[in-house]
Structures are given as C-alpha cells and as structure tokens.
C-alpha cells in the first residue's frame, strides 16, 4: 500500500507536540510527506533534511517561512490543491486544515486530530480581542471569515473516515464541533530525553510559548503575590508584558536550548502550568524528571496528572480549579504542605504511560483495524 502523510506546516519554528507525532509516525510508516509549506527539508538539523515534501502555492508567499497563519483565508483552498489520488491510505496530522484534503472513494483517510481549529472555535474571542484585525470595520470582516471557516471545518470533517484524538478532552471537542467519534491514542513523549532527579532545588519552573492563552501572565501575578522563586523559560509576543510586571523573585530566561530546559525542569521543586491544553506534553516531560506538576485542572491535565489530594499513594501533583491568580496561589500553598508526600518515582511511572513504544503499538494496531473495516465496508 502507498501512504501519504499530510501535516499543516513544517518549519524550524514548529516544534510542538503535533510535529513530534509526525516524526514518530514516520519512524513506523513508509509515507510520502505533504504540507502547506516546507522549510524543514532544507534544514540540516531536521530529521526531514533532503526528504522530498509536496507543498502548496503558499510555499511561495512572502514571509511564508515564518508561518502561514497570516494567510488564514487561503489555508482551506491551499490544502485542497494537494493531489493525493495515487495513494491507498492518507494519514493526516491536523490542528488546522490538514484533515481537509480531497480523497477519492477508494482511499482510506485516517486523521490524528491534535485539536479542532482553535481560532475558529474555542479561541475565537481571544483571537479577535488580541488581533489588530479583530476590532472596528476590519473586525466585522474577520468575524465573517471565521464564520465561513467554521462551516468549512465541519464540512471537511466529513472527508475523514476515522478520527484519532490525542486525549479524551480532544475527543469530546471533536464530537462537539463535528459530531464525529474519535479513538484516543495519546501522543508519544520522549521521556528518555529527561533525567530522573529525586533531589530538587528550591524554585518553581514553567516552560511555554509566551502567548496569551498559555496564561503566563496569571502565573507571574500569582508568584508576585507568593514571593517564591520562579523560572520562566520560553519566548513569544507576551514576553515584554511579562517582564514589565515580574517581581525580582521571577527570572525570565527567554528561549533556551534543550539541555538548559532539561536541567531546570529536572531540578525544580514543581512545574507550573495554567493553560487549558488538549494534551500537554510539557506536563508529562516534567513528570519524567520526577518533578511534580501544579496545573489547571481542565483539559489534558486531568488525564496526565494525578492530584495528590485525591490519591496520596500515587499522586504526582496538584490540580487547581479556576484559571485565576488566587486559585493558583492556593494550589501552590497546598503543594507546600503536600510536597514531601509526592514520590518522584510515582511521577516517573506516570510519565512512562505515554512512551513512544505505547504510541507505536496503539497507532499501528489502529491503522490495521481501520484498513480491515474500510475494505470490508467497501466490498459489501
């Protein structure tokens, strides 16, 4: 069988959980790769270096190498221009439009959905509030565009034969947006990259892109109030605002290389996270180091972190109820009381549930099942 794998964009700046899923799939499935844009096959540091990758007309748009989100109105049209008729199986890795490729009746299309398009659904009002084109007369046209984007998103969901979700949280969102069921296969987390460290230092850490929905501003305000030492690693458009309000107990290191990130996460007293994530690979990576997690108790965190208040024997952190400064302050203070009851080895064991080997076994078994079901239904 001939496989095609479709992902939204491949650039050196795109290094999140969805890209890790693509990398892992390609270790086990021989597939030709397609994307809206590709600047990784020319990157000597990339695992895709010198690999032939099919792209769209967006490849030649100005500043495309910095991402194509700025060309949002063109994304559905662009993905539909990929001609994949020669393939038996299409595997899409989608957090935006990749699932919208056009397939023929004889082709099996399996979508690993990292999230329904966030700026068209859950983050619409955040997107409008924080965008220059979200207000006034331009805001009317932006709202009109997002309205039609949601319509296309629902229609294109019907082009998928089988959905995979990266968490139960995402599976529920897929049902709410598309009325489609999805099988949950957790993404692979390279836990062996992180060194287990039982002895911790007296500081907290968070690692994140500094964008509004990650709620780093909330974390800073909470630690301003607490006065405990906090290390922030990451870069993004919010960095200037965060530096303006951060008190001396908070260090903002900006973007750092992997070895620095691993060192701080391994030695931290706890990892802080206030965003609502569909899965949240960073939470698993912290636990792989034996580092407890204090996280907002919604989304994927409910599936990756065990609250010590609910399970004293296996607890790996604290989950707080509300995305507010006071709720996080209370959670950190509660952790101060419970920290000696969190076993670093329990954290590591929890992280091992999301290993690449488990992903490989689950994903390949699902592909085989889908192909059998598809061929049986096609012949009946």
């Amino acid at each position: 069988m001939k496989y095609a794998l479709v992902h939204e964009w491949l650039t050196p700046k795109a290094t999140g959980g969805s890209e890790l899923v693509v990398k892992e799939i390609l270790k086990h499935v021989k597939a030709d790769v397609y994307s809206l844009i590709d600047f990784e096959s020319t990157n000597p540091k990339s695992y895709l270096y010198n690999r032939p990758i099919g792209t769209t007309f967006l490849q030649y748009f100005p500043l495309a190498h910095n991402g194509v989100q700025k060309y949002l109105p063109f994304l559905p049209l662009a993905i539909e221009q990929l001609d994949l008729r020669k393939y038996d199986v299409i595997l899409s890795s989608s957090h935006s439009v990749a699932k919208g490729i056009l397939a023929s009746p004889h082709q099996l299309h399996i979508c690993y959905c990292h999230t329904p398009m966030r700026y068209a659904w859950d983050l619409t009002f955040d997107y409008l509030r924080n965008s220059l084109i979200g207000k006034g007369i331009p805001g009317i046209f932006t709202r009109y565009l997002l309205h039609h984007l949601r319509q296309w998103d629902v229609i294109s969901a019907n082009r998928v034969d089988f959905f995979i979700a990266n968490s139960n949280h995402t599976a529920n969102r897929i049902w709410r947006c598309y009325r489609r069921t999805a099988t949950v296969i957790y993404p692979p987390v390279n836990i062996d990259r992180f060194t287990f460290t039982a002895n911790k230092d007296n500081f907290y850490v968070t690692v994140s892109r500094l964008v509004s929905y990650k709620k780093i501003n909330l974390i800073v305000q909470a630690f301003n109030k607490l006065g405990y030492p906090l290390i922030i690693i990451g870069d993004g458009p919010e960095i200037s605002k965060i530096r303006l309000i951060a008190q001396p107990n908070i260090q903002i290191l900006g973007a750092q290389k992997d070895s620095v990130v691993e060192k701080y996460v391994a030695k931290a007293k706890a990892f802080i996270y206030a965003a609502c994530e569909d899965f949240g690979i960073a939470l698993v990576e912290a636990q792989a180091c034996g580092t407890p997690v204090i996280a907002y108790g919604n989304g994927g965190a409910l599936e990756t972190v065990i609250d010590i208040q609910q399970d004293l024997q296996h607890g790996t952190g604290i989950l707080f109820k509300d995305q507010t400064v006071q709720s996080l302050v209370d959670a950190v203070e509660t952790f101060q009381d419970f920290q000696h009851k969190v076993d670093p080895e329990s954290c590591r064991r929890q992280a091992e549930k999301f290993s690449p080997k488990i992903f490989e076994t689950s994903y390949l078994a699902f592909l085989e099942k889908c192909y059998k079901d598809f061929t049986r239904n096609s012949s009946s």
Side-chain angles (χ1 to χ4, degrees):
M1 289 188 296
K2 295 189 69 176
Y3 289 85
L5 190 150
V6 185
H7 189 58
E8 269 89 16
W9 44 78
L10 298 167
T11 75
K13 292 184 178 181
T15 57
S18 61
E19 285 74 32
L20 294 176
V21 169
V22 168
K23 184 177 181 179
E24 193 65 27
I25 290 173
L26 291 175
K27 288 180 181 179
H28 311 295
V29 179
K30 185 179 180 181
D32 293 338
V33 181
Y34 291 83
S35 182
L36 292 170
I37 58 169
D38 159 46
F39 293 93
E40 280 289 82
S41 63
T42 55
N43 175 15
K45 297 180 180 179
S46 173
Y47 72 98
L48 294 170
Y49 184 55
N50 280 338
R51 183 165 188 154
I53 295 175
T55 59
T56 71
F57 59 81
L58 293 176
Q59 180 76 18
Y60 310 102
F61 276 32
L63 301 178
H65 63 280
N66 287 328
V68 292
Q69 296 91 324
K70 63 181 77 67
Y71 299 121
L72 184 60
F74 297 101
L75 301 192
L77 174 64
I79 205 71
E80 291 178 346
Q81 305 313 303
L82 292 174
D83 184 357
L84 307 180
R85 289 174 295 176
K86 65 182 179 180
Y87 298 97
D88 302 299
V89 181
I90 298 169
L91 307 174
S92 59
S93 164
S94 184
H95 54 72
S96 179
V97 297
K99 69 174 181 10
I101 51 88
L102 301 180
S104 301
H106 71 277
Q107 293 176 298
L108 169 62
H109 179 186
I110 302 171
C111 173
Y112 191 105
C113 184
H114 308 279
T115 175
M117 198 183 304
R118 277 189 169 272
Y119 32 81
W121 298 99
D122 300 56
L123 295 182
T124 291
F125 297 107
D126 288 334
Y127 179 74
L128 291 169
R129 184 172 57 252
N130 296 316
S131 173
L132 294 175
I133 58 172
K135 303 173 181 67
I137 298 299
I140 295 173
F141 290 101
T142 303
R143 285 169 169 81
Y144 184 73
L145 165 65
L146 292 173
H147 168 71
H148 281 281
L149 198 57
R150 280 188 287 274
Q151 291 180 322
W152 178 88
D153 199 36
V154 173
I155 291 169
S156 64
N158 290 313
R159 301 172 187 172
V160 176
D161 295 301
F162 299 94
F163 271 104
I164 302 171
N166 62 357
S167 67
N168 288 296
H169 176 71
T170 299
N172 291 335
R173 293 181 62 231
I174 290 170
W175 174 255
R176 188 175 73 244
C177 295
Y178 309 142
R179 288 299 187 259
R180 296 289 305 276
T181 59
T183 297
V184 175
I185 299 177
Y186 292 118
V189 182
N190 184 11
I191 57 175
D192 291 334
R193 166 190 159 195
F194 296 88
T195 303
F196 174 80
T197 306
N199 297 320
K200 305 297 182 181
D201 290 343
N202 187 34
F203 68 87
Y204 294 87
V205 70
T206 187
V207 181
S208 173
R209 286 183 294 118
L210 305 185
V211 293
S212 60
Y213 87 92
K214 295 288 188 178
K215 303 294 183 183
I216 303 300
N217 185 62
L218 184 154
I219 295 174
V220 170
Q221 291 180 66
F223 275 80
N224 282 346
K225 195 170 181 179
L226 287 161
Y228 298 145
L230 171 70
I231 305 291
I232 298 175
I233 300 176
D235 200 357
E238 296 277 303
I239 193 165
S240 297
K241 295 179 183 177
I242 291 165
R243 282 187 168 139
L244 279 174
I245 65 170
Q247 296 296 318
N249 59 299
I250 300 173
Q251 294 183 56
I252 302 167
L253 303 185
Q256 296 290 329
K257 57 186 180 180
D258 287 350
S259 60
V260 175
V261 173
E262 291 157 16
K263 180 186 76 173
Y264 278 106
V265 173
K267 294 298 291 182
K269 179 185 292 188
F271 187 92
I272 310 294
Y273 216 72
C276 178
E277 291 287 8
D278 296 293
F279 176 72
I281 281 181
L283 308 184
V284 178
E285 291 176 338
Q287 291 173 92
C289 300
T291 299
V293 172
I294 301 172
Y296 174 48
N298 203 337
L302 293 172
E303 302 171 52
T304 59
V305 180
I306 302 172
D307 194 322
I308 189 70
Q309 299 170 99
Q310 307 299 322
D311 189 338
L312 278 172
Q313 186 176 357
H314 305 103
T316 64
I318 297 284
L319 297 173
F320 58 96
K321 185 178 180 181
D322 302 308
Q323 272 181 316
T324 64
V325 171
Q326 191 57 50
S327 187
L328 176 53
V329 167
D330 292 343
V332 175
E333 296 287 23
T334 300
F335 175 78
Q336 291 281 112
D337 295 333
F338 277 90
Q339 61 181 306
H340 299 298
K341 297 180 180 179
V342 180
D343 183 358
E345 292 186 2
S346 293
C347 296
R348 178 70 184 191
R349 284 193 295 271
Q350 177 68 2
E352 288 170 351
K353 297 176 183 177
F354 307 96
S355 71
K357 184 62 181 176
I358 291 175
F359 173 84
E360 175 194 352
T361 302
S362 301
Y363 186 80
L364 294 180
F366 187 76
L367 293 194
E368 183 178 356
K369 178 182 181 299
C370 289
Y371 186 74
K372 287 180 179 178
D373 291 347
F374 181 76
T375 52
R376 182 169 57 250
N377 293 337
S378 299
S379 60
S380 60

